[in-house]
Amino acid sequence: MSDQSKNKASDSDPLHGQSLEKILLALVDCYGWEELGRRIEIKCFNIDPSIKSSLKFLRKTPWARTKVEELFVNMPD
C-alpha cells in the first residue's frame, strides 16, 4: 500500500491507529465512569469499574465494543 493510500485509509477511518485502551481512556476522561455506564449499560462500567476489567470484557464482547467505538467516534472534540 502506498503512503498516499495509507493516508486516505486513516482519514476515512476515525478508529485507525486507536487502540481499544486509548479509546476507553478518552471516553472515561470525557464522560467519567458514571456517565459512561449510563450511556452504555454494561456491568463493567457500572459496578466497580476499571480499565482492566472493561478491556477484558470489551475484547470478548463484539456488540459492546461496537457501542464503545460508536460513542468514541461521536464524542465531542
Side-chain angles (χ1 to χ4, degrees):
M1 187 181 276
S2 71
D3 288 339
Q4 191 174 21
S5 297
K6 288 179 185 175
N7 287 341
K8 286 182 182 177
S10 63
D11 289 343
S12 64
D13 182 6
L15 297 175
H16 180 77
Q18 299 292 330
S19 68
L20 184 57
E21 184 174 12
K22 283 183 182 179
I23 290 169
L24 189 56
L25 287 168
L27 289 171
V28 171
D29 187 48
C30 180
Y31 297 111
W33 286 112
E34 188 174 330
E35 179 63 17
L36 192 55
R38 191 184 67 71
R39 289 175 181 253
I40 304 172
E41 293 187 29
I42 52 179
K43 287 182 183 180
C44 63
F45 290 170
N46 290 311
I47 300 173
D48 195 26
S50 73
I51 296 295
K52 184 177 178 180
S53 68
S54 298
L55 287 173
K56 185 176 179 181
F57 176 77
L58 293 170
R59 287 183 179 129
K60 294 180 180 181
T61 316
W63 66 263
R65 183 178 182 144
T66 299
K67 287 184 177 237
V68 165
E69 289 172 345
E70 288 173 355
L71 184 60
F72 176 76
V73 169
N74 296 309
M75 188 171 63
D77 290 333

